[in-house]
Structures are given as C-alpha cells and as structure tokens.
Amino acid sequence: MNKILKLTLILGVVGAISGGALATVYKVTGPVISAQDAKTLQAGLSEVFPGDYQFEGLNEEFELSDSVVKIDDAYIVKSNGGIIGLVLQVTSPGSQAPIKLLVGTKKDGTVSGVKILESLETPGLGANASNSDYYVEKENKITFLGQFKGKKFSDNFVPKEDVIAITGATITSTAVARGVKVAGRVAHNYFKEKEGSG
Amino acid sequence: MKKYWKIVWNGITPSNPILILAIGLCSVVAVTNSVQNALLMTFVFSFVLIFSEVIISLLRKIIPGDIRVPIFVVVIATFTTIATLLSRAYFNSIYEAIKLYIFLVVVNCIIIGRAEAFSYQNSIVDSIFDGIGMSIGYSWVIIAIAAVREVFGNGTIAGFRVFPASYSPALVMILPPAGFLILGVLVGWLEFTLKKRKVKK
Amino acid sequence: MSYLANLGKIFVASAFVNNIVLLQFLGLCSYIGLTDNMHASIGMGYAVTFVTVLAAAVTWIIDRWILIPFHLQPFLQIVSFILVIGSLVGLVEIYIRKMSPHLYKAMGIYLPLIATNCLILGVTFINSLQGFDFVESIVEAVGAAIGYFMAMLILAGIRERLRNSELPDFFKGKAIAYMVSGIVALAFMGFQGMIK
Amino acid sequence: MKTFIISVATVGGFGAFFGALLGYFAEKYKVEENPLVKAIYEVLPHGECGACGFPGCHSCAEAIAEAQASVDVCVVGGAATTEKIKKVVEEFKNKASKN
Amino acid sequence: MDENLIDLIVTSSPHIRDKAKVSLIMRGVLIALMPATIAGLYFFGVGHTLGVVIVSILSAVVAEYLSCLIFRKKATAYDLSAAVTGLLLALTLPPSSPYWMVAVGAFVAIILGKWIFGGIGSNPFNPALVGRAFLMISWPTYMTIWVKPFTQSVFPPTSAITTATPLNIIKLKGFSEVLAMFDGSRLIMYKSLFLGNVAGSIGETSALLLLIGGIALIAKKIIDWRIPAGFIGTVFVLSAVFNRDPVFSILSGGLFLGAFFMATDYSSSPITVKGRLWYGISLGVLTVIFRQFGASPEGVMFSILIMNCFVPFLDKMLPRIYGHFAPKRRMNV
C-alpha cells in the first residue's frame, strides 16, 4: 500500500509541475503566437487581394458544393464603404494534413489571388505549390498559385485540364484547385444574394 | 576541464548517437530532406536533450526506479512542448515545415537512452556536457546527410543554389526512398569500418 | 461522398498511400531491429495493431473531452498523450503477463517496445491534426497498424531469403535492411495519387 | 490563472491516476522471475527501442541471462551499461559458486 | 541455341550459378527481345532511340564490371545478364529520354537492383524495374514525354511531335477520346495497338512482336507460361469487370513486356508452380487497380515491384513442386 501511495504521489507531483510549467510558458508565448497568426493573416489578405482596402470579418454559414472542402473564415473587402470582394479561408485535404488556403474573389466573378497559409506537403513536390521560384509556365514566370489569378468562378478547376499541375504532385494540385473552386462557388452565391437584396 | 572535453568528444565520435549507437533513426530519415529542416530539428533536439538531462540529473536521487521511465517521458515531453511553443512564437516559418516531426523528439530513443544511461547517474555539470556532446554528434551527421540529399534532390544547400539552374534535380533524393538508401549506405560503411578495425585489433 | 466511402479512403491512405513506416518513417527502430526474426515481426505486428487502436480510442476521448473543452490542446497534448499511452501499455503488459502467459509470449513481450514507439504517438497526432471523429480515428489507426504489419512482413521475408545469398561485406547486417526498405518505399510510391 | 490550475490538475491527475494504477497492478499481478534477469533488467536503459534485436529490454535481459546474447548487445547504453551487466553477471556467478 | 543444352536449362528453379548456362539463358532472352527492339527503332526513329538502347546496355555492362571490382566478386560482366538488364531498361523508357538519365538508370538498376544483394541470382527485385522506378520518381517530366511514331528524326530529337499514350488519354479524358484517335473504329485501334503504331516506351508498343518473343521463350522453356498467362488473363477479366475494354487493356501499355520479360525474372519470381500462378494473378489485380485508381495511367512496373516484395511468402505458403510440405499440411487438417 505504501508503495502505491508513493508512486501516486511522485507521478502526480511530476505531472502537476509539468502542467504548471507548460501553462506558464504558454501564457508567455500564446499572445506572441496569436499576434503572429494575425499578422500572417493580414499579410495574406492583402496579398490575395492587392490594393489599399479594408478587410472585415464576416460571420456567415455558407452552403458548400463539396463535402470535404471546408470554409473556416470569410472576410469582406471594402473600399469606400462598398463591398468589392470576398476573401475566404478554405481547408482542403492535402496529401498528409489539410491545406489551409486564402482565396481572394472579386465581385466581377474572378479570382484575385490565392495563398497557402498552412500545408504539410512533400518538399520538392507538393511544397512547390507555395514556392515563389517554381514556375508552372517558365516562359511567363507564372507560379502554381499565380495561375489562378484572374480565373473565372465558372471554370472547371481540374488539374491537367484548365489548371497546370505541379510535376509529381497531383494530390496537392487537385487539393488547391478544389479549394479555389469551392471558394469561387461560395463567392458567386454570396455576390448574387447581395445584389438580389439590394 | 579535460574531463568535460572528454565527455563532449565522446558524443561527437566515439559514441556518436547516430553513427555508433544507431538509434532514434526515425527523425534522421524524416528531417534530412533539406538542410533547413535538419537545422531546426537540431535546435529542438539539443534544447530538449540538454534540459531534460539537467532536470533528470537534478532529480536522480528522488526518482524511484519503478516509475523512472514514465517520469523521464513526462520531462522530455514537457521540454518538447516548450520547444514547440517557442519555435512557433519566434521561428514560425520553420516550425510549419517540421511540426509533424516534432513529436519524434519525444519518443527519440537517444534522449531516453542518455537520460537513463548518463544523467540518471551523473552530476548536473557532467550531464550538461554530455548533452552538448550528443547534440553536436547528432547534428553534424544529420546536417551532412541533409546536405547530400538537398544538393542532389534540389540543387541547393540550405536554400542557396549550388548546381546551375539547368541541373534537373533527382527528386527521389528528397523523397522517402532515398532517406532509407542513404542511411543504408552510411550504416553499411560504419559497420564495415568498425568490423575492419576489430579484425585489426 | 458517403461516410463509408470516406472511411475506406482513410484506410487506404493510411495503409498504402502514406504507409506509416515506408513513407512516414515512424516506428523505424523496431522495424529494423526486429525484422531479422520472422516470429518476432509477427508478434510485434499484432501488438502494434492492438495498442494503436487502443491508443487512438483513448487519446481521442482525452483530446475531445478534456483538452479541447478546456483550451489545453496546444500545450498539454504531447504530455498527456504520451503519459496516458505509456501508462496504459504498461498496465496491459503487467496484466496479460499474469493472466495469460501464452498470450504474453505471443504478443505481450512486445508491448514495452511500443510505449516509446513513435508510430503510436504519430497516429494519434495525425488523428488530432486531421480532426477525425471517433470512428475515423479508429479506421486510421487500423490502417496504420496494417501498413506497419505489412512492412514488417515484407522486410522480414526478404531478409530471411537474403540469408541464403552472399551479400557483399559492406551491406551485411542492418545496412541491407535499409537498402531493401528504400526499394520497397520506391515501389510503394506507386500508390501515390490513389486518394483524391 | 484558471488555465494554470486546470493544467496542473489535468496532468497531475493523469500522473496520480496512472501512478496509482501502475503501483496497484505491479503489486497485484506480480510475477516471480529469475533474479538474474531482474538484476540485468534493472541496469538496462529501459529505452525499449528494440535496437538490440530483442523485443524490449526485458526480453533482452532474459537473453543475456540465458547467454543467448553477449553482454555488449545494448547499443543505447554503450560501454557503461556493458560494464554494469558484466558486474551483475559476475556477482551472480560468485553467489552461485558459494552456494 | 543448341538443342542439346536445353534439357540442362529447364531445372533452373533453385538458381543455377553456372556461368556458361546463365549466359545461354541470357542470350535466349536477348534474341527474344530483338523483334520488339527493332520495332521500337522502326517506330521512333533510329537516331536517338538507338542511342538510348546503346547507352543503356553499355552503362549496364560498365556498371556490372565496376561492381565486380568493387565488391570483389568473380567477373560476371560477360554473362550477358547485365546486357539483358540494360536492354530491358531501355525498352521501358520513353524514346526521347536524355542519355544522361538513361545512364543513371542503368547504373541504379545494376548496383542498387542487383549488386548490393550479392549479384546475379540474389536480387529480390527486378533490377531493370528498380532502375526505372528510380527514374520515374526522380524525373517524372522526362519519363512522361511520349513521342508520336514516325516523327522523331535522327538529329536532333527535339523535332519529334509529342503526344499522349492511349492509357494516358483514357486516364485524363476517357475511352471515347481514345477511340476517336483511331477514327472511331475498334478494329483499327486493336490493329494499331497490336502492331505497335502508338505512342509509348521504346519496346512496349508492339504486342505482336513481344508475343512472338515471349512464346519463343516459353517454347524453349526459358520462362514459365504460368506467370504471363495468369497476369494477362487476370487483367483481361478484371478490366471487363471495371467496365474497360478488355482487349484494349491487355494490348496497351507495358503489359506484354512486363508479363513476359520482367515478371518472369528468375530470382525475383516465385519458384513454385502454384506460387507462380498466384503471382501472375496478383500482378494482374494490382495492375488493374493501379490503372483504375492510381495517379499515373500505367501500373505494370509498380505492380511487379510490389509483388516482388511478397515472393518470399508465396514460396513459403504454397507447397513446393517437390511436394515437401504437402503431406504435413494434410496431417494438420
């Protein structure tokens, strides 16, 4: 009995100390991490929707055309009070972990830009998706994400057809294209609804 | 001073954690596809190893033998999490690259092995130097492997272009199969030379 | 996509497309260490299957019912997971050692090996990262375990066979196990793209 | 502060719970075993990595006790562990010869 | 081949290490591959294509020679096995492959595929396919450029018109598109595929000539009919199940080349009669699965490599020719 008590006590105390230490460290680093995330998000927003605009968080549930792609967040883009676009944060299943994307959409029905926020794709293959030195069209220096700029919502977004795939990374290419496609559909419905209601 | 140098040197070559002990190889294969990943892994590894060794050495008289392993594991996991949080807060871009492999540190046999074999029996100062030696021994090997893989697989070292842009990289080098193959050649070379040395003796 | 098809997809992905040993390098220590012996490989395979599923179930409960509701996930996940898995495995080992010496010989002796096997922890992290629900987590765990089992059997079979051939001195011992794994990994790359 | 307390309670609770269970199980399901195996097992690193080719440190200790493996089979422990195992084995031999 | 020697060759199952006999077998295989090779040169232009074949064979022989030196084994560079590996590798490569890549592939095939295991007879994997898989993963771009027949000029190879293989088109666009390529007539399609007038690897397109070579090898008892029969038969049946044109499925891609010349490699295929049959069937199943669900349109190579992994089990689990295990099993039941 004595032994059981001793083990309980020691393991409990060690656990408690560990929990306390971690909570303390998290208290210090937590704000830094969230500040960092916010900064990344802000930079991402202005990257997918270049120009001097205001971004505003949007709380709305969207109807999705795809069962595996999810919309985590949405931001409306405002210029002088008027809505000119929508940026969507999309999660699409990648080859190992989900890929988090920011997709900027314009009111005129085109994609303004795409950025990968988080991904765990294979270095040298899938990771080339966010590599700014990797061109899918070498002559025009167009990156994989760059090719989405200006694409219409109504496009098919199928790699090897209207989307140039990354060599040896079909899964990644499909995942990104799929995410953009869903975002496009959502944005299309959103703008239509806005117009309908005035 | 000489004693400490001997402890450090012991980790660098005579009982190098990868080359001689040949354990904890999961992380070796996993993170050596680029020098950058290998470097961050090295930082996390050294941080966790050194601090865990210190704490365990500090507590060595109190820890009961029956549950020493769970305690070691908790200590190691705690430092791993701290390392994760710190790298996430201050080196976010690299953290993104290897976050899947960070937990490999927790279950790295090298750390548990050193905790048990060295710091559970030695003083704090000795443990620090053992940690330093082991970290250096671990890092030079994984960085070397990573350099080879990155050069042939991507034409760069730590992001700097080494081969001209016209070089078409052998993608396989940064993919899983080459990790095994290079480790195989390395292990073969080691066992071969060690055997030779034994025969000579 | 129906829920069942989704489960099938998760299974194929974890067993073949992202084979946990060959393409994710988890559980290498035991993979290289034990495949010299076919008997041990099989025992380890059963033990890993059992523990992975157990661990996936338990950690899912801890993750969903304790860590996430109290916002502890970012900093307590690793510690709690490893503590719980390690202790559970220890308990199971002590128990079957006493209760069924037969089972202990076939599978139990491999249990301690698993407590610090990165494969188990890896699976639980993947489950948490992907946000799988309970059934999905179990399916992922079964897939990963079968992938591990398969890799163990392949390597053990080939190593057994290679015992009759005159390997070069350079590659005798563990080295050839790594080389074979490299080629098997090359073959398994063929499964890439099966999951869309 | 609330987070701090919850954290301490959670991990401390896990630790205490499993500590108690481990202690209880170890008592209740005790298995008699060869003292030599036990002694060798004590000095092995408990890393349970399997690098020696045996499934776990316990099997490794058994193999050493039955002389199926050499005393330097544990690479993780290195030279220090080898020395200790040698010592343990010798002690047992001496005891046996005295009896 | 000298008729008197054939009886000696038949019993090759526990592998024969005798140099003279090995070289005879290898010579047989080389001769059997000749028609398909010549067809490849005819369809894809003598210039660059011939270069690929020569570079591959030469590199393989050089690699073999070097390996003998490095690993201090008796020289086997002249038993023709390296030449066979080199030729097989070349036949699986696209006609426009750059020479350096071919050379790398041949070195990998010989050293990684064969010599690290101790040379001929010990390799658990088919060496030529190890080389090809290495290239496929390393340089997917070069490995998926296919040349339209009769368009690759002698010099320079760039003038060739690139196109997709029939399997490629089926993967991306569907069967009707393939049919449209042949004026919508199945008969013309079958004929083109059978003769080899389609895009593909150097030696895989002409089913007819591969069939002739394969049947010759079977007739000379150099290879066992069970593996190719099981393989091709399974692909035929399963393709129909998956609603693919079965005749198209067996004629297109590298199936004939793989079934007759790769899967039958002595040291990487099972040695039991039943084992061979099961081996062939499993290969067929895997190939259809790869073609149907995989990222790349063809799956013969990866199927063979994966089944190579399981050969030790096929040998172990199924009773041997000698009936050694059979009585024991019955006793258990």
Side-chain angles (χ1 to χ4, degrees), chain A residues 107-129:
Chain A
K107 212 174 176 182
D108 64 359
T110 59
V111 177
S112 66
V114 180
K115 183 182 164 64
I116 292 182
L117 282 182
E118 253 185 72
S119 74
L120 274 178
E121 301 306 298
T122 323
L125 294 175
N128 274 337

Side-chain angles (χ1 to χ4, degrees), chain C residues 4-189:
Chain C
L4 219 59
N6 183 38
L7 290 184
K9 205 187 86 173
I10 291 173
F11 176 81
V12 174
S14 65
F16 300 102
V17 183
N18 290 324
N19 185 290
I20 196 125
V21 180
L22 297 168
L23 302 171
Q24 311 229 48
F25 325 109
L26 298 176
L28 281 189
C29 290
S30 56
Y31 170 68
I32 299 289
L34 291 181
T35 43
D36 217 8
N37 178 343
M38 179 63 89
H39 190 72
S41 309
I42 295 173
M44 187 68 184
Y46 286 129
V48 163
T49 311
F50 172 70
V51 176
T52 320
V53 174
L54 181 74
V58 174
T59 53
W60 188 87
I61 291 171
I62 291 173
D63 209 30
R64 282 302 164 89
W65 292 356
I66 299 176
L67 296 181
I68 293 179
F70 291 110
H71 305 288
L72 303 175
Q73 202 198 21
F75 60 100
L76 284 191
Q77 199 179 33
I78 298 179
V79 175
S80 338
F81 279 16
I82 188 127
L83 187 60
V84 171
I85 296 172
S87 312
L88 263 184
V89 173
L91 293 178
V92 174
E93 193 222 345
I94 297 173
Y95 182 76
I96 62 173
R97 190 162 167 202
K98 179 79 180 179
M99 288 324 200
S100 164
H102 203 70
L103 188 62
Y104 181 68
K105 250 203 160 152
M107 183 183 111
I109 46 171
Y110 303 101
L111 284 174
L113 210 58
I114 294 171
T116 54
N117 192 322
C118 29
L119 185 145
I120 314 289
L121 207 56
V123 171
T124 59
F125 273 80
I126 292 171
N127 284 340
S128 169
L129 209 66
Q130 299 269 28
F132 284 156
D133 68 19
F134 189 77
V135 181
E136 285 172 337
S137 300
I138 300 290
V139 170
E140 162 83 28
V142 173
I146 286 177
Y148 175 82
F149 208 153
M150 196 166 50
M152 285 295 264
L153 287 180
I154 290 174
L155 188 60
I158 292 177
R159 281 178 88 169
E160 198 166 70
R161 186 200 136 140
L162 285 176
R163 221 161 282 151
N164 299 328
S165 43
E166 302 157 31
L167 294 179
D169 287 339
F170 191 90
F171 286 109
K172 271 182 185 146
K174 279 182 186 164
I176 198 70
Y178 286 111
M179 301 311 274
V180 172
S181 318
I183 299 176
V184 179
L186 208 59
F188 268 70
M189 297 281 297

Side-chain angles (χ1 to χ4, degrees), chain A:
Chain A
M1 200 58 218
N2 196 10
K3 192 180 166 196
I4 299 178
L5 206 68
K6 195 178 153 196
L7 293 188
T8 312
L9 215 69
I10 293 184
L11 211 52
V13 169
V14 170
I17 294 173
S18 144
L22 286 176
T24 315
V25 174
Y26 186 63
K27 210 171 176 194
V28 178
T29 52
V32 183
I33 292 172
S34 13
Q36 187 120 30
D37 287 350
K39 221 167 96 188
T40 319
L41 181 67
Q42 201 57 44
L45 287 176
S46 37
E47 195 180 320
V48 296
F49 212 105
D52 195 16
Y53 304 116
Q54 296 87 46
F55 298 99
E56 230 172 71
L58 180 70
N59 250 337
E60 198 169 316
E61 290 286 316
F62 299 103
E63 230 175 83
L64 298 178
S65 54
D66 196 313
S67 62
V68 289
V69 177
K70 291 180 189 102
I71 305 259
D72 300 330
D73 274 310
Y75 306 88
I76 26 179
V77 189
K78 280 189 169 172
S79 170
N80 300 326
I83 297 173
I84 57 162
L86 189 66
V87 179
L88 293 153
Q89 190 183 321
V90 185
T91 311
S92 184
S95 63
Q96 306 202 355
I99 301 176
K100 278 191 184 166
L101 291 169
L102 272 186
V103 183
T105 55
K106 277 191 200 159
K107 212 174 176 182
D108 64 359
T110 59
V111 177
S112 66
V114 180
K115 183 182 164 64
I116 292 182
L117 282 182
E118 253 185 72
S119 74
L120 274 178
E121 301 306 298
T122 323
L125 294 175
N128 274 337
S130 44
N131 183 350
S132 55
D133 295 325
Y134 176 85
Y135 302 119
V136 284
E137 237 181 80
K138 275 189 181 146
E139 309 83 53
N140 304 325
K141 295 211 165 182
I142 292 178
T143 58
F144 174 71
L145 293 178
Q147 67 176 322
F148 291 104
K149 200 168 175 173
K151 265 182 145 359
K152 288 197 193 83
F153 296 165
S154 52
D155 282 357
N156 273 329
F157 293 102
V158 176
K160 292 182 184 168
E161 281 177 23
D162 57 347
V163 170
I164 313 168
I166 302 164
T167 316
T170 329
I171 308 176
T172 315
S173 312
T174 314
V176 174
R178 206 166 167 180
V180 179
K181 181 178 178 174
V182 171
R185 298 283 186 278
V186 167
H188 175 76
N189 292 342
Y190 178 78
F191 293 135
K192 214 165 111 190
E193 202 179 288
K194 278 277 141 182
E195 239 152 59
S197 66

Side-chain angles (χ1 to χ4, degrees), chain E residues 6-167:
Chain E
I6 291 169
D7 286 335
L8 293 174
I9 304 165
V10 189
T11 58
S12 61
S13 289
H15 205 87
I16 298 173
R17 281 164 198 263
D18 193 302
K19 199 174 140 195
K21 285 166 198 162
V22 169
S23 69
L24 271 182
I25 293 174
M26 293 304 165
R27 202 176 72 191
V29 177
L30 274 181
I31 293 170
L33 280 170
M34 268 316 127
T37 313
I38 292 167
L41 300 181
Y42 169 71
F43 286 123
F44 302 114
V46 175
H48 191 79
T49 316
L50 185 63
V52 170
V53 175
I54 291 173
V55 167
S56 181
I57 296 178
L58 271 186
S59 316
V61 174
V62 169
E64 177 96 357
Y65 186 71
L66 286 177
S67 305
C68 293
L69 285 182
I70 296 168
F71 296 116
R72 307 220 174 83
K73 291 265 165 119
K74 232 166 60 187
T76 49
Y78 310 110
D79 71 3
L80 292 180
S81 67
V84 168
T85 304
L87 180 59
L88 279 175
L89 175 71
L91 294 186
T92 60
L93 295 177
S96 58
S97 309
Y99 292 140
W100 57 264
M101 186 180 87
V102 179
V104 170
F107 268 83
V108 169
I110 295 294
I111 294 173
L112 188 65
K114 191 158 114 188
W115 275 98
I116 63 164
F117 302 107
I120 187 164
S122 304
N123 49 305
F125 302 94
N126 184 319
L129 289 182
V130 171
R132 184 172 193 267
F134 190 92
L135 298 181
M136 185 73 205
I137 306 288
S138 288
W139 295 284
T141 336
Y142 291 116
M143 291 297 286
T144 46
I145 298 176
W146 305 105
V147 172
K148 205 170 171 190
F150 304 119
T151 61
Q152 183 157 271
S153 60
V154 181
F155 297 107
T158 42
S159 66
I161 297 171
T162 59
T163 175
T165 65
L167 278 174

Side-chain angles (χ1 to χ4, degrees), chain E residues 44-318:
Chain E
F44 302 114
V46 175
H48 191 79
T49 316
L50 185 63
V52 170
V53 175
I54 291 173
V55 167
S56 181
I57 296 178
L58 271 186
S59 316
V61 174
V62 169
E64 177 96 357
Y65 186 71
L66 286 177
S67 305
C68 293
L69 285 182
I70 296 168
F71 296 116
R72 307 220 174 83
K73 291 265 165 119
K74 232 166 60 187
T76 49
Y78 310 110
D79 71 3
L80 292 180
S81 67
V84 168
T85 304
L87 180 59
L88 279 175
L89 175 71
L91 294 186
T92 60
L93 295 177
S96 58
S97 309
Y99 292 140
W100 57 264
M101 186 180 87
V102 179
V104 170
F107 268 83
V108 169
I110 295 294
I111 294 173
L112 188 65
K114 191 158 114 188
W115 275 98
I116 63 164
F117 302 107
I120 187 164
S122 304
N123 49 305
F125 302 94
N126 184 319
L129 289 182
V130 171
R132 184 172 193 267
F134 190 92
L135 298 181
M136 185 73 205
I137 306 288
S138 288
W139 295 284
T141 336
Y142 291 116
M143 291 297 286
T144 46
I145 298 176
W146 305 105
V147 172
K148 205 170 171 190
F150 304 119
T151 61
Q152 183 157 271
S153 60
V154 181
F155 297 107
T158 42
S159 66
I161 297 171
T162 59
T163 175
T165 65
L167 278 174
N168 248 321
I169 299 170
I170 239 189
K171 185 102 219 163
L172 294 176
K173 292 181 181 142
F175 187 67
S176 55
E177 201 76 21
V178 181
L179 214 53
M181 222 169 62
F182 300 100
D183 308 327
S185 146
R186 275 186 199 238
L187 218 63
I188 297 178
M189 179 179 76
Y190 293 154
K191 206 178 113 199
S192 298
L193 285 170
F194 194 60
L195 294 178
N197 189 8
V198 287
S201 303
I202 295 174
E204 73 173 19
T205 57
S206 174
L208 169 68
L209 297 175
L210 288 167
L211 198 62
I212 292 174
I215 289 174
L217 284 184
I218 292 173
K220 295 272 182 191
K221 296 195 172 168
I222 291 178
I223 61 172
D224 191 346
W225 60 271
R226 290 175 186 86
I227 296 173
F231 195 172
I232 297 170
T234 310
V235 171
F236 187 85
V237 174
L238 265 189
S239 298
V241 173
F242 277 110
N243 215 0
R244 289 184 156 208
D245 184 334
V247 180
F248 169 83
S249 295
I250 62 167
L251 290 181
S252 58
L255 184 59
F256 275 48
L257 184 62
F260 285 111
F261 297 97
M262 306 277 194
T264 52
D265 176 42
Y266 283 145
S267 63
S268 60
S269 60
I271 54 171
T272 62
V273 171
K274 262 194 174 168
R276 286 179 177 172
L277 203 58
W278 279 110
Y279 180 70
I281 293 171
S282 322
L283 282 170
V285 173
L286 269 178
T287 300
V288 174
I289 291 178
F290 275 127
R291 282 183 178 178
Q292 185 74 19
F293 302 108
S296 61
E298 177 60 301
V300 171
M301 169 181 73
F302 284 119
S303 305
I304 297 177
L305 279 177
I306 285 172
M307 281 317 292
N308 282 167
C309 304
F310 292 101
V311 165
F313 292 94
L314 288 173
D315 276 343
K316 232 182 172 179
M317 285 184 293
L318 300 162

